[in-house]
Amino acid sequence: MAVELIFVGTELLLGNILNTNAKYLSERCALSGLSVYYQSVVGDNEERLAETIRTGLNRSDILILSGGLGPTEDDLTKETAAKVLGLPMVEDPHTKELLKQYFAKLKQKNVTESNWKQALVPEGAVVLDNDNGTAPGLILEKDGKTIVLLPGPPAELIPLFEKKVEPYLCSKQPETIRSTMVKICGVGESKVEDMIKDMIAGQDNPTIAPYAKTGEVHLRVTARAQSEDEAKKLMKPVVKELKSRFGNHIYTTKEQDTLEQVVVDMLKKYELTLTTAESCTGGLLAARLINIPGVSEVFKSGFITYSNKAKRKLLGVNKNTLKKYGAVSEETAHEMAKGCVFETDSLAALAITGIAGPDGGTDDKPVGLVYISCYLNDQVVVKECRFKGDRNKIREQAVVRAMDLLRRCIIDHFETKK
């Protein structure tokens, strides 16, 4: 079925807000086996929004709109959609009651009349309770066409879509669509595509779609079948072949798992504690790890040692090492990792030192040169990396490579020796 995405909000047109909903909804629709042929962004203008909706209904089976469901005067989405479909607006008692409960919890006595307009819905609409906001989602059906209305804030849109809209969309599909994500680290996008070009050339069902991320490549394997079990059977040999080709470069086949989640899980599994030391990344590595709930079980401390003085004082890096080899060197990275363990008694350590640019590079040590070290089981492994891109890109790639290095060291020490 053909789906069209329409994003409502003048702030989107002006670039005041990044349209992350476009990326999210496009990916989720593809995951559900729905074809997205068009996307539009329209401002808070009734006439232009109505024209966009009419155009969408003429060429697509399902329209998904986000934004414009709130209580203010420029929130016009549901009213405009109702007019296009010729549906009157009526009050939904259930939504009205939820609004009353919401304002009572806030102890808000003087509720403005505009707030109650969120309880007005197009007649016959399927109302989707919004557990994270006041504006409900809506599904409108008429003459074989469907319009789905979602709130604009991602914190409201995402759970509403996954819990209520996605199952509805899947129920309209004649076939079951299932997919799995094979996530790869340590292999560039062009090399990954070269390694699977024969599989892509001959693919039909399942299909393989590559997605490049910073320092990673994700391969989505998708199958269509009459049942979920059949789809899984179709995907199994494809995933098995990918595992054979990429080996330990694959860090997960679970959609929800991030690299940092996998690393934290491995630390917990083998009862390892970790300390980090960062120079050019300035705390980005620690921040990525600390994003994971429960990381306090394994993460001891993080040092930001940007200056040579900090490297000496906090990590015990030898002054002669810095003088002879420089802050950006294999030797300094080695001592930074050892210093982490000495200072905190951690069982593992990661250290990063490099030149993120745009200045500071030389012929011998160009911008993008980064040394990453990992201490584990009384051994230190140091990797020299040469990244490309701007300052932020280099720092992000260094963080990904550091987490992957720790992951591989844990595999080498604990899993390959079984």
PDB file of all heavy atoms in Angstrom, residues 254-282:
ATOM      1  N   LYS A 254      19.856  -7.442  16.781  1.00  0.00           N
ATOM      2  CA  LYS A 254      18.641  -6.960  17.426  1.00  0.00           C
ATOM      3  C   LYS A 254      18.438  -5.483  17.081  1.00  0.00           C
ATOM      4  O   LYS A 254      19.337  -4.668  17.266  1.00  0.00           O
ATOM      5  CB  LYS A 254      18.715  -7.136  18.943  1.00  0.00           C
ATOM      6  CG  LYS A 254      18.772  -8.596  19.382  1.00  0.00           C
ATOM      7  CD  LYS A 254      18.858  -8.704  20.888  1.00  0.00           C
ATOM      8  CE  LYS A 254      18.913 -10.166  21.331  1.00  0.00           C
ATOM      9  NZ  LYS A 254      19.020 -10.293  22.799  1.00  0.00           N
ATOM     10  N   GLU A 255      17.245  -5.171  16.596  1.00  0.00           N
ATOM     11  CA  GLU A 255      16.919  -3.818  16.158  1.00  0.00           C
ATOM     12  C   GLU A 255      17.189  -2.780  17.238  1.00  0.00           C
ATOM     13  O   GLU A 255      17.728  -1.702  16.989  1.00  0.00           O
ATOM     14  CB  GLU A 255      15.441  -3.765  15.751  1.00  0.00           C
ATOM     15  CG  GLU A 255      14.926  -2.392  15.379  1.00  0.00           C
ATOM     16  CD  GLU A 255      15.143  -2.049  13.928  1.00  0.00           C
ATOM     17  OE1 GLU A 255      15.204  -2.970  13.103  1.00  0.00           O
ATOM     18  OE2 GLU A 255      15.243  -0.852  13.624  1.00  0.00           O
ATOM     19  N   GLN A 256      16.820  -3.090  18.486  1.00  0.00           N
ATOM     20  CA  GLN A 256      16.864  -2.093  19.554  1.00  0.00           C
ATOM     21  C   GLN A 256      18.247  -1.918  20.169  1.00  0.00           C
ATOM     22  O   GLN A 256      18.482  -0.937  20.895  1.00  0.00           O
ATOM     23  CB  GLN A 256      15.865  -2.455  20.659  1.00  0.00           C
ATOM     24  CG  GLN A 256      16.236  -3.687  21.480  1.00  0.00           C
ATOM     25  CD  GLN A 256      15.814  -4.997  20.841  1.00  0.00           C
ATOM     26  OE1 GLN A 256      15.454  -5.037  19.662  1.00  0.00           O
ATOM     27  NE2 GLN A 256      15.831  -6.073  21.617  1.00  0.00           N
ATOM     28  N   ASP A 257      19.173  -2.820  19.918  1.00  0.00           N
ATOM     29  CA  ASP A 257      20.478  -2.770  20.583  1.00  0.00           C
ATOM     30  C   ASP A 257      21.421  -1.783  19.904  1.00  0.00           C
ATOM     31  O   ASP A 257      21.614  -1.812  18.687  1.00  0.00           O
ATOM     32  CB  ASP A 257      21.130  -4.153  20.593  1.00  0.00           C
ATOM     33  CG  ASP A 257      20.590  -5.038  21.697  1.00  0.00           C
ATOM     34  OD1 ASP A 257      19.714  -4.573  22.449  1.00  0.00           O
ATOM     35  OD2 ASP A 257      21.026  -6.201  21.793  1.00  0.00           O
ATOM     36  N   THR A 258      22.028  -0.911  20.701  1.00  0.00           N
ATOM     37  CA  THR A 258      23.081  -0.032  20.225  1.00  0.00           C
ATOM     38  C   THR A 258      24.428  -0.640  20.585  1.00  0.00           C
ATOM     39  O   THR A 258      24.513  -1.580  21.390  1.00  0.00           O
ATOM     40  CB  THR A 258      22.966   1.353  20.872  1.00  0.00           C
ATOM     41  OG1 THR A 258      23.093   1.199  22.304  1.00  0.00           O
ATOM     42  CG2 THR A 258      21.622   2.002  20.535  1.00  0.00           C
ATOM     43  N   LEU A 259      25.486  -0.082  20.019  1.00  0.00           N
ATOM     44  CA  LEU A 259      26.823  -0.587  20.325  1.00  0.00           C
ATOM     45  C   LEU A 259      27.132  -0.418  21.806  1.00  0.00           C
ATOM     46  O   LEU A 259      27.682  -1.323  22.447  1.00  0.00           O
ATOM     47  CB  LEU A 259      27.859   0.153  19.471  1.00  0.00           C
ATOM     48  CG  LEU A 259      29.321  -0.256  19.662  1.00  0.00           C
ATOM     49  CD1 LEU A 259      29.523  -1.741  19.411  1.00  0.00           C
ATOM     50  CD2 LEU A 259      30.219   0.577  18.747  1.00  0.00           C
ATOM     51  N   GLU A 260      26.759   0.731  22.379  1.00  0.00           N
ATOM     52  CA  GLU A 260      27.031   0.948  23.800  1.00  0.00           C
ATOM     53  C   GLU A 260      26.238  -0.015  24.681  1.00  0.00           C
ATOM     54  O   GLU A 260      26.716  -0.452  25.728  1.00  0.00           O
ATOM     55  CB  GLU A 260      26.777   2.401  24.208  1.00  0.00           C
ATOM     56  CG  GLU A 260      25.446   2.959  23.806  1.00  0.00           C
ATOM     57  CD  GLU A 260      25.487   3.739  22.498  1.00  0.00           C
ATOM     58  OE1 GLU A 260      26.159   3.270  21.555  1.00  0.00           O
ATOM     59  OE2 GLU A 260      24.848   4.801  22.427  1.00  0.00           O
ATOM     60  N   GLN A 261      25.022  -0.360  24.257  1.00  0.00           N
ATOM     61  CA  GLN A 261      24.229  -1.324  25.016  1.00  0.00           C
ATOM     62  C   GLN A 261      24.902  -2.692  25.015  1.00  0.00           C
ATOM     63  O   GLN A 261      25.001  -3.366  26.056  1.00  0.00           O
ATOM     64  CB  GLN A 261      22.830  -1.450  24.427  1.00  0.00           C
ATOM     65  CG  GLN A 261      21.935  -2.459  25.141  1.00  0.00           C
ATOM     66  CD  GLN A 261      21.518  -2.005  26.523  1.00  0.00           C
ATOM     67  OE1 GLN A 261      20.773  -1.042  26.637  1.00  0.00           O
ATOM     68  NE2 GLN A 261      21.990  -2.686  27.555  1.00  0.00           N
ATOM     69  N   VAL A 262      25.404  -3.095  23.855  1.00  0.00           N
ATOM     70  CA  VAL A 262      26.091  -4.379  23.740  1.00  0.00           C
ATOM     71  C   VAL A 262      27.340  -4.397  24.607  1.00  0.00           C
ATOM     72  O   VAL A 262      27.618  -5.380  25.303  1.00  0.00           O
ATOM     73  CB  VAL A 262      26.443  -4.663  22.259  1.00  0.00           C
ATOM     74  CG1 VAL A 262      27.384  -5.857  22.143  1.00  0.00           C
ATOM     75  CG2 VAL A 262      25.175  -4.906  21.447  1.00  0.00           C
ATOM     76  N   VAL A 263      28.100  -3.312  24.575  1.00  0.00           N
ATOM     77  CA  VAL A 263      29.331  -3.238  25.376  1.00  0.00           C
ATOM     78  C   VAL A 263      29.018  -3.311  26.867  1.00  0.00           C
ATOM     79  O   VAL A 263      29.669  -4.054  27.617  1.00  0.00           O
ATOM     80  CB  VAL A 263      30.104  -1.952  25.044  1.00  0.00           C
ATOM     81  CG1 VAL A 263      31.230  -1.726  26.057  1.00  0.00           C
ATOM     82  CG2 VAL A 263      30.681  -2.030  23.640  1.00  0.00           C
ATOM     83  N   VAL A 264      28.028  -2.549  27.317  1.00  0.00           N
ATOM     84  CA  VAL A 264      27.658  -2.573  28.735  1.00  0.00           C
ATOM     85  C   VAL A 264      27.176  -3.963  29.143  1.00  0.00           C
ATOM     86  O   VAL A 264      27.532  -4.463  30.220  1.00  0.00           O
ATOM     87  CB  VAL A 264      26.579  -1.508  29.029  1.00  0.00           C
ATOM     88  CG1 VAL A 264      26.005  -1.693  30.437  1.00  0.00           C
ATOM     89  CG2 VAL A 264      27.169  -0.112  28.888  1.00  0.00           C
ATOM     90  N   ASP A 265      26.391  -4.617  28.291  1.00  0.00           N
ATOM     91  CA  ASP A 265      25.914  -5.975  28.589  1.00  0.00           C
ATOM     92  C   ASP A 265      27.087  -6.950  28.722  1.00  0.00           C
ATOM     93  O   ASP A 265      27.067  -7.847  29.586  1.00  0.00           O
ATOM     94  CB  ASP A 265      24.964  -6.458  27.494  1.00  0.00           C
ATOM     95  CG  ASP A 265      23.612  -5.761  27.557  1.00  0.00           C
ATOM     96  OD1 ASP A 265      23.321  -5.123  28.585  1.00  0.00           O
ATOM     97  OD2 ASP A 265      22.851  -5.852  26.571  1.00  0.00           O
ATOM     98  N   MET A 266      28.097  -6.796  27.874  1.00  0.00           N
ATOM     99  CA  MET A 266      29.270  -7.678  27.946  1.00  0.00           C
ATOM    100  C   MET A 266      30.060  -7.430  29.226  1.00  0.00           C
ATOM    101  O   MET A 266      30.552  -8.379  29.868  1.00  0.00           O
ATOM    102  CB  MET A 266      30.163  -7.471  26.721  1.00  0.00           C
ATOM    103  CG  MET A 266      29.526  -7.911  25.415  1.00  0.00           C
ATOM    104  SD  MET A 266      30.567  -7.566  23.973  1.00  0.00           S
ATOM    105  CE  MET A 266      31.730  -8.935  24.059  1.00  0.00           C
ATOM    106  N   LEU A 267      30.189  -6.176  29.623  1.00  0.00           N
ATOM    107  CA  LEU A 267      30.876  -5.865  30.878  1.00  0.00           C
ATOM    108  C   LEU A 267      30.159  -6.502  32.061  1.00  0.00           C
ATOM    109  O   LEU A 267      30.791  -7.070  32.964  1.00  0.00           O
ATOM    110  CB  LEU A 267      30.953  -4.350  31.064  1.00  0.00           C
ATOM    111  CG  LEU A 267      31.875  -3.576  30.111  1.00  0.00           C
ATOM    112  CD1 LEU A 267      31.637  -2.079  30.244  1.00  0.00           C
ATOM    113  CD2 LEU A 267      33.346  -3.895  30.391  1.00  0.00           C
ATOM    114  N   LYS A 268      28.825  -6.421  32.047  1.00  0.00           N
ATOM    115  CA  LYS A 268      28.046  -7.029  33.127  1.00  0.00           C
ATOM    116  C   LYS A 268      28.188  -8.550  33.116  1.00  0.00           C
ATOM    117  O   LYS A 268      28.345  -9.185  34.167  1.00  0.00           O
ATOM    118  CB  LYS A 268      26.571  -6.653  32.980  1.00  0.00           C
ATOM    119  CG  LYS A 268      26.252  -5.200  33.271  1.00  0.00           C
ATOM    120  CD  LYS A 268      24.762  -4.941  33.101  1.00  0.00           C
ATOM    121  CE  LYS A 268      24.403  -3.506  33.402  1.00  0.00           C
ATOM    122  NZ  LYS A 268      22.950  -3.248  33.224  1.00  0.00           N
ATOM    123  N   LYS A 269      28.131  -9.120  31.932  1.00  0.00           N
ATOM    124  CA  LYS A 269      28.193 -10.581  31.807  1.00  0.00           C
ATOM    125  C   LYS A 269      29.471 -11.140  32.415  1.00  0.00           C
ATOM    126  O   LYS A 269      29.456 -12.178  33.099  1.00  0.00           O
ATOM    127  CB  LYS A 269      28.090 -10.973  30.332  1.00  0.00           C
ATOM    128  CG  LYS A 269      28.162 -12.466  30.078  1.00  0.00           C
ATOM    129  CD  LYS A 269      28.023 -12.780  28.589  1.00  0.00           C
ATOM    130  CE  LYS A 269      28.115 -14.274  28.329  1.00  0.00           C
ATOM    131  NZ  LYS A 269      27.987 -14.582  26.869  1.00  0.00           N
ATOM    132  N   TYR A 270      30.597 -10.468  32.175  1.00  0.00           N
ATOM    133  CA  TYR A 270      31.877 -10.982  32.658  1.00  0.00           C
ATOM    134  C   TYR A 270      32.358 -10.257  33.915  1.00  0.00           C
ATOM    135  O   TYR A 270      33.527 -10.380  34.293  1.00  0.00           O
ATOM    136  CB  TYR A 270      32.919 -10.887  31.537  1.00  0.00           C
ATOM    137  CG  TYR A 270      32.565 -11.786  30.368  1.00  0.00           C
ATOM    138  CD1 TYR A 270      32.093 -11.244  29.178  1.00  0.00           C
ATOM    139  CD2 TYR A 270      32.650 -13.171  30.477  1.00  0.00           C
ATOM    140  CE1 TYR A 270      31.736 -12.057  28.114  1.00  0.00           C
ATOM    141  CE2 TYR A 270      32.299 -13.996  29.423  1.00  0.00           C
ATOM    142  CZ  TYR A 270      31.838 -13.432  28.243  1.00  0.00           C
ATOM    143  OH  TYR A 270      31.475 -14.250  27.195  1.00  0.00           O
ATOM    144  N   GLU A 271      31.438  -9.510  34.544  1.00  0.00           N
ATOM    145  CA  GLU A 271      31.697  -8.836  35.809  1.00  0.00           C
ATOM    146  C   GLU A 271      32.954  -7.976  35.736  1.00  0.00           C
ATOM    147  O   GLU A 271      33.844  -8.043  36.600  1.00  0.00           O
ATOM    148  CB  GLU A 271      31.801  -9.863  36.939  1.00  0.00           C
ATOM    149  CG  GLU A 271      30.512 -10.660  37.128  1.00  0.00           C
ATOM    150  CD  GLU A 271      30.613 -11.671  38.261  1.00  0.00           C
ATOM    151  OE1 GLU A 271      31.741 -12.026  38.645  1.00  0.00           O
ATOM    152  OE2 GLU A 271      29.564 -12.106  38.762  1.00  0.00           O
ATOM    153  N   LEU A 272      33.018  -7.154  34.707  1.00  0.00           N
ATOM    154  CA  LEU A 272      34.146  -6.261  34.493  1.00  0.00           C
ATOM    155  C   LEU A 272      33.759  -4.830  34.848  1.00  0.00           C
ATOM    156  O   LEU A 272      32.634  -4.406  34.600  1.00  0.00           O
ATOM    157  CB  LEU A 272      34.589  -6.299  33.021  1.00  0.00           C
ATOM    158  CG  LEU A 272      35.082  -7.646  32.499  1.00  0.00           C
ATOM    159  CD1 LEU A 272      35.255  -7.578  30.997  1.00  0.00           C
ATOM    160  CD2 LEU A 272      36.397  -8.028  33.174  1.00  0.00           C
ATOM    161  N   THR A 273      34.679  -4.096  35.419  1.00  0.00           N
ATOM    162  CA  THR A 273      34.476  -2.674  35.662  1.00  0.00           C
ATOM    163  C   THR A 273      35.327  -1.882  34.673  1.00  0.00           C
ATOM    164  O   THR A 273      36.376  -2.345  34.227  1.00  0.00           O
ATOM    165  CB  THR A 273      34.858  -2.297  37.097  1.00  0.00           C
ATOM    166  OG1 THR A 273      36.173  -2.797  37.386  1.00  0.00           O
ATOM    167  CG2 THR A 273      33.853  -2.861  38.079  1.00  0.00           C
ATOM    168  N   LEU A 274      34.877  -0.680  34.358  1.00  0.00           N
ATOM    169  CA  LEU A 274      35.517   0.098  33.296  1.00  0.00           C
ATOM    170  C   LEU A 274      35.788   1.533  33.745  1.00  0.00           C
ATOM    171  O   LEU A 274      34.960   2.162  34.405  1.00  0.00           O
ATOM    172  CB  LEU A 274      34.626   0.130  32.053  1.00  0.00           C
ATOM    173  CG  LEU A 274      35.088   1.006  30.885  1.00  0.00           C
ATOM    174  CD1 LEU A 274      36.328   0.408  30.222  1.00  0.00           C
ATOM    175  CD2 LEU A 274      33.965   1.169  29.855  1.00  0.00           C
ATOM    176  N   THR A 275      36.947   2.044  33.343  1.00  0.00           N
ATOM    177  CA  THR A 275      37.275   3.458  33.478  1.00  0.00           C
ATOM    178  C   THR A 275      37.718   3.963  32.108  1.00  0.00           C
ATOM    179  O   THR A 275      38.368   3.243  31.352  1.00  0.00           O
ATOM    180  CB  THR A 275      38.398   3.682  34.503  1.00  0.00           C
ATOM    181  OG1 THR A 275      37.914   3.320  35.804  1.00  0.00           O
ATOM    182  CG2 THR A 275      38.832   5.140  34.540  1.00  0.00           C
ATOM    183  N   THR A 276      37.361   5.204  31.784  1.00  0.00           N
ATOM    184  CA  THR A 276      37.737   5.782  30.501  1.00  0.00           C
ATOM    185  C   THR A 276      38.623   7.006  30.709  1.00  0.00           C
ATOM    186  O   THR A 276      38.536   7.687  31.723  1.00  0.00           O
ATOM    187  CB  THR A 276      36.500   6.213  29.692  1.00  0.00           C
ATOM    188  OG1 THR A 276      35.755   7.186  30.442  1.00  0.00           O
ATOM    189  CG2 THR A 276      35.611   5.015  29.391  1.00  0.00           C
ATOM    190  N   ALA A 277      39.476   7.258  29.717  1.00  0.00           N
ATOM    191  CA  ALA A 277      40.308   8.464  29.701  1.00  0.00           C
ATOM    192  C   ALA A 277      40.223   9.048  28.300  1.00  0.00           C
ATOM    193  O   ALA A 277      40.478   8.354  27.318  1.00  0.00           O
ATOM    194  CB  ALA A 277      41.753   8.136  30.061  1.00  0.00           C
ATOM    195  N   GLU A 278      39.852  10.322  28.218  1.00  0.00           N
ATOM    196  CA  GLU A 278      39.630  10.934  26.910  1.00  0.00           C
ATOM    197  C   GLU A 278      40.367  12.253  26.781  1.00  0.00           C
ATOM    198  O   GLU A 278      40.358  13.066  27.697  1.00  0.00           O
ATOM    199  CB  GLU A 278      38.135  11.165  26.685  1.00  0.00           C
ATOM    200  CG  GLU A 278      37.296   9.910  26.803  1.00  0.00           C
ATOM    201  CD  GLU A 278      35.816  10.192  26.622  1.00  0.00           C
ATOM    202  OE1 GLU A 278      35.428  10.642  25.519  1.00  0.00           O
ATOM    203  OE2 GLU A 278      35.062   9.983  27.586  1.00  0.00           O
ATOM    204  N   SER A 279      40.963  12.430  25.620  1.00  0.00           N
ATOM    205  CA  SER A 279      41.582  13.705  25.302  1.00  0.00           C
ATOM    206  C   SER A 279      40.744  14.398  24.234  1.00  0.00           C
ATOM    207  O   SER A 279      39.875  15.197  24.544  1.00  0.00           O
ATOM    208  CB  SER A 279      43.025  13.503  24.828  1.00  0.00           C
ATOM    209  OG  SER A 279      43.651  14.741  24.598  1.00  0.00           O
ATOM    210  N   CYS A 280      40.915  14.040  22.963  1.00  0.00           N
ATOM    211  CA  CYS A 280      40.221  14.758  21.882  1.00  0.00           C
ATOM    212  C   CYS A 280      38.703  14.577  21.910  1.00  0.00           C
ATOM    213  O   CYS A 280      37.961  15.425  21.406  1.00  0.00           O
ATOM    214  CB  CYS A 280      40.774  14.341  20.521  1.00  0.00           C
ATOM    215  SG  CYS A 280      40.533  12.602  20.103  1.00  0.00           S
ATOM    216  N   THR A 281      38.211  13.492  22.489  1.00  0.00           N
ATOM    217  CA  THR A 281      36.756  13.267  22.523  1.00  0.00           C
ATOM    218  C   THR A 281      36.083  13.953  23.708  1.00  0.00           C
ATOM    219  O   THR A 281      34.852  14.045  23.753  1.00  0.00           O
ATOM    220  CB  THR A 281      36.440  11.759  22.563  1.00  0.00           C
ATOM    221  OG1 THR A 281      37.226  11.132  23.571  1.00  0.00           O
ATOM    222  CG2 THR A 281      36.735  11.114  21.210  1.00  0.00           C
ATOM    223  N   GLY A 282      36.852  14.427  24.654  1.00  0.00           N
ATOM    224  CA  GLY A 282      36.341  15.298  25.708  1.00  0.00           C
ATOM    225  C   GLY A 282      35.119  14.814  26.472  1.00  0.00           C
ATOM    226  O   GLY A 282      34.279  15.604  26.868  1.00  0.00           O
TER     227      GLY A 282
END
